[in-house]
Amino acid sequence: MLRTAVVVLALSLGVAAVHAQNAGPSDVDVSQQALQWQHKRLAALTAPNGWLSLIGLDWLKEGANRVGTASDNDIVLKSGPAHLGVVTLAKDGGLRIVLDKDSGATVDGQAVTEAVLHDDEHAGPAGPTTVAFGTASFLVISRDGRLALRVKDSNADTRIHFQGLDYYPIDPTWRIVADWVPFDPPHELEIGSVLGTINKEKVPGKAVFHRNGHTYELMPIQEEPDSLFFVIADKTSGRETYGAARFLYADLPKDGKVVLDFNRAYNPPCAFTPYATCPLAPPENRLDLAVTAGEKKYRGGH
């Protein structure tokens, strides 16, 4: 249960807090910040609409797609009314939904009979259109030119029976100040995904750091204007940590330096659910190093 997961994490955080009390002042700061980050990570993951609530990833075909839990639908949902409605995908990529009169569903919180659907790639500031029904909802995602319904339910088994997060003990030595080497112009990095697709991403530079007398490099992409995003793997991958990759965010470089706090390396959504579309660590970011910091493999992994 969720309450049990929180208790398990709290116990592990208590052990780390004792370690922090015995450390030097700067180590205490690093440990406290990592603990705060772990609390936020847990809250986001276990939120009613967090990654644990995913119950479906259903690809749309061109034309009419009947949606609902009944077996006569084109897309059979795991939760919701027997006949929710019809999602129509036009040749030009336009999307509309016509709701069944007895569905009880809403579109962006409004009780309507039909509406245009905006996917996550073409949505405005409010984000993609959300169709909600009972404890469940869906939105449309665009991946490699294809559109799919991403379906969530706050009562999903993966959320209700979540088994908690496991971490390596917080180690301030894994907060590394790396040298930042900018690329001008930006390099291009090919990043594969669990769907078998390959995306070409712009890389603004590379982080170069030293550990145990060896030099390592990591290349980030920049999804947001105020941070760097690393998709990484290392010698613990597939053994103690999730095999496909772990994620790590870092603040933008300052004075030629970028801080890599591997205590905040964490599992992608695919570690918890088969209904996510996660990137894989590119060869350039597969470290010949055991990064014994951050989040471990999920013990309840699918």
Side-chain angles (χ1 to χ4, degrees), residues 210-222:
H210 308 281
R211 184 84 178 179
N212 300 330
H214 297 278
T215 301
Y216 303 95
E217 298 180 355
L218 286 174
M219 295 187 182
I221 60 176
Q222 195 166 356

Side-chain angles (χ1 to χ4, degrees), residues 39-74:
H39 280 298
K40 291 179 181 179
R41 157 75 172 153
L42 180 66
L45 186 64
T46 59
N49 65 340
W51 288 112
L52 294 175
S53 67
L54 285 182
I55 60 168
L57 179 67
D58 300 292
W59 299 98
L60 295 165
K61 65 180 183 181
E62 189 176 299
N65 298 263
R66 295 170 298 167
V67 181
T69 54
S71 60
D72 61 347
N73 289 286
D74 301 299

Side-chain angles (χ1 to χ4, degrees), residues 52 61 78 93 143 147 172 184 209 227 232 246 274 287 297:
L52 294 175
K61 65 180 183 181
K78 290 183 171 62
R143 297 294 182 269
L147 298 176
D184 188 16
F209 66 96
S227 64
I232 67 173
R246 285 191 290 172
L287 297 170
K297 185 185 297 184

Side-chain angles (χ1 to χ4, degrees), residues 22-23 25 37 43 53 67 71 74 91 110 130 140 147 153 170 178 193 209 212 230 232 240 255 277:
N22 296 325
W37 180 88
S53 67
V67 181
S71 60
D74 301 299
K91 288 185 177 180
Q110 303 297 313
T130 299
V140 181
L147 298 176
D153 187 349
I170 294 172
S193 78
F209 66 96
N212 300 330
F230 297 85
I232 67 173
E240 297 176 345
D255 299 327
T277 58

Side-chain angles (χ1 to χ4, degrees), residues 9 13 16 27-41 167-172 175 261-265 294:
L9 180 63
L13 297 187
D27 289 354
V28 169
D29 290 340
V30 171
S31 296
Q32 288 179 341
Q33 291 169 9
L35 288 174
Q36 291 171 0
W37 180 88
Q38 289 180 5
H39 280 298
K40 291 179 181 179
R41 157 75 172 153
Y167 290 93
Y168 290 100
I170 294 172
D171 182 352
R175 181 188 183 276
D261 190 346
F262 290 100
N263 294 294
R264 305 186 190 191

Side-chain angles (χ1 to χ4, degrees), residues 95 256 260:
L95 277 175
L260 305 176

